[in-house]
Amino acid sequence: MVRTARPLIVTEDLDLLDDLLRLCAAAGAEPEVHHAVPERRPGWTDPPLVLVGDDAAARCRGATRRPGVLLVRREPDDPGVWRRAVEIGAEGVLVLPGEESRLVDLIADAVEGTGRQALTVGVIGGRGGAGASTLSCALALAAARAGQRTLLVDGDPLGGGLDVLLGGERAEGRRWPDFAASKGRVAGAALEESLPAVRGVRVLSWDRGDPVQVPPEAMRSVLAAARRRGGVVVVDLPRRADGAVTQALAQLDLGLLLVPGELRAVAAAHRVAGAVGTALRDLRTVVRGPYAPGLDERWIADALRLPLVGELPADEGLSAAGDGGPPPGADARGGLGRFCDAFWEQVLAPERAA
């Protein structure tokens, strides 16, 4: 189970306490509650964040000075509040309900940490049936094989489910319909813990019910939570660019456009690149054979005017994926597995050096 640090609430104001408990729950945090400074020093100094109700400010005078103390009140008009904040060493004053959203973010940042965000890679097919879902799964398995915390996101409700492709359709955990109503901040730790784990990869996929529309704000909130956990996030995206897909594209560090070696696929990929290029900062191409006469990977990349990541080798995993065999890319010795391992070795090198 993923465990997070617990913030400290100091107040005797029951109405304020109800508000703070509700906001902690929204941030995925379970707080400690005291009416005054805890008797044991670590109870005050160890929590990542201390929320002092204005009613308790006088009782907190003389406490050990520490970072991460906030004074919280419900009434906006009180010129003496800043004096009380200075007396307890608070870094700021928050007034509810107007600053609830900000407080949820501060609580979540405190308990989850604010380290390096996940390297987020999206995969898009240049045409239907290009193998984008297969490549997405293989990349996720390779990232986990490399020791990265890995989350695989299925962005295509009509794709059949990446959990099925990985052989994890029966794994327990939440699916996209459980998050479709998400708004505002989603706790990264709670998200990760709630998802099915398959071969070392946390998977956010679809259930077997009717397709569910994921609003743009839900996609934005869920992906932002996934990225805050660090490691690697791989997103399998459809070729259309609706509101939810646009939100996903905006959070990618790198997009891979997978293009089969045929003229019609190149023409289709050109349209896809045009549609997603405005929202995606870094789009590159991966080419797969066999090739039509006169084509090769360099010609295709030049025609699309995109940087070439490499040529995806012919591999049975691309055609047999989902037919009851091992997941695509699970064999590190196969062509698909080697391609994905090499990709992460190259892409993660700057991350490791930083």
Side-chain angles (χ1 to χ4, degrees):
M1 175 178 289
V2 179
R3 296 187 180 274
T4 57
R6 302 177 69 178
L8 171 65
I9 296 174
V10 182
T11 186
E12 284 187 321
D13 183 332
L14 295 182
D15 291 333
L16 179 61
L17 178 60
D18 285 344
D19 286 338
L20 294 178
L21 291 175
R22 171 174 54 82
L23 298 177
C24 284
E30 183 180 350
E32 295 277 356
V33 179
H34 288 261
H35 299 313
V37 176
E39 294 182 2
R40 299 184 61 186
R41 178 186 172 97
W44 172 263
T45 59
D46 287 359
L49 185 69
V50 177
L51 305 176
V52 178
D54 195 22
D55 66 290
R59 297 191 295 277
C60 293
R61 291 188 193 130
T64 301
R65 294 299 173 109
R66 50 149 295 167
V69 176
L70 295 172
L71 187 65
V72 186
R73 60 179 287 105
R74 292 165 56 88
E75 299 296 331
D77 298 324
D78 183 353
V81 67
W82 283 103
R83 173 181 52 79
R84 295 191 292 275
V86 170
E87 289 174 347
I88 65 172
E91 295 178 346
V93 176
L94 294 178
V95 180
L96 305 183
E99 295 183 282
E100 286 191 354
S101 178
R102 181 185 173 204
L103 183 52
V104 170
D105 285 346
L106 290 171
I107 296 169
D109 284 341
V111 300
E112 293 179 4
T114 54
R116 186 187 300 275
Q117 289 198 331
L119 178 63
T120 307
V121 176
V123 184
I124 308 167
R127 65 153 170 78
S133 295
T134 297
L135 179 57
S136 297
C137 289
L139 285 171
L141 291 174
R145 197 159 53 234
Q148 295 289 322
R149 169 187 269 139
T150 306
L151 197 153
L152 175 62
V153 179
D154 190 345
D156 187 358
L158 303 179
L162 295 186
D163 55 348
V164 176
L165 199 54
L166 286 173
E169 63 272 19
R170 296 182 181 178
E172 294 185 359
R174 301 176 73 182
R175 265 72 174 179
W176 260 122
D178 298 309
F179 297 98
S182 298
K183 295 181 180 179
R185 181 86 174 220
V186 174
L191 171 69
E192 181 182 17
E193 183 180 354
S194 72
L195 297 178
V198 184
R199 293 178 175 254
V201 175
R202 292 285 182 173
V203 185
L204 176 53
S205 189
W206 304 88
D207 61 13
R208 310 286 81 84
D210 294 333
V212 174
Q213 182 70 31
V214 175
E217 57 268 27
M219 179 66 76
R220 179 175 62 250
S221 297
V222 169
L223 272 186
R227 297 188 70 207
R228 286 196 301 272
R229 296 298 290 164
V232 164
V233 175
V234 179
V235 187
D236 178 34
L237 291 167
R239 296 168 61 233
R240 66 182 184 278
D242 59 17
V245 172
T246 299
Q247 288 295 333
L249 291 170
Q251 297 199 55
L252 298 183
D253 297 303
L254 170 63
L256 301 179
L257 183 62
L258 179 57
V259 185
E262 55 194 48
L263 281 174
R264 288 188 63 190
V266 174
H270 182 76
R271 291 192 292 271
V272 174
V276 305
T278 56
L280 182 54
R281 293 166 290 181
D282 186 355
L283 180 63
R284 309 177 194 179
T285 187
V286 175
V287 180
R288 54 168 290 207
Y291 297 101
L295 302 188
D296 60 21
E297 69 275 15
R298 179 57 59 187
W299 186 95
I300 293 173
D302 290 344
L304 294 172
R305 297 181 182 179
L306 293 176
L308 176 65
V309 172
E311 179 186 17
L312 197 62
D315 192 305
E316 290 183 357
L318 283 170
S319 57
D323 291 338
D331 182 2
R333 298 168 298 178
L336 181 57
R338 293 196 308 271
F339 175 89
C340 293
D341 286 345
F343 170 82
W344 290 121
E345 182 65 29
Q346 179 182 6
V347 172
L348 291 173
E351 297 280 316
R352 297 189 181 107

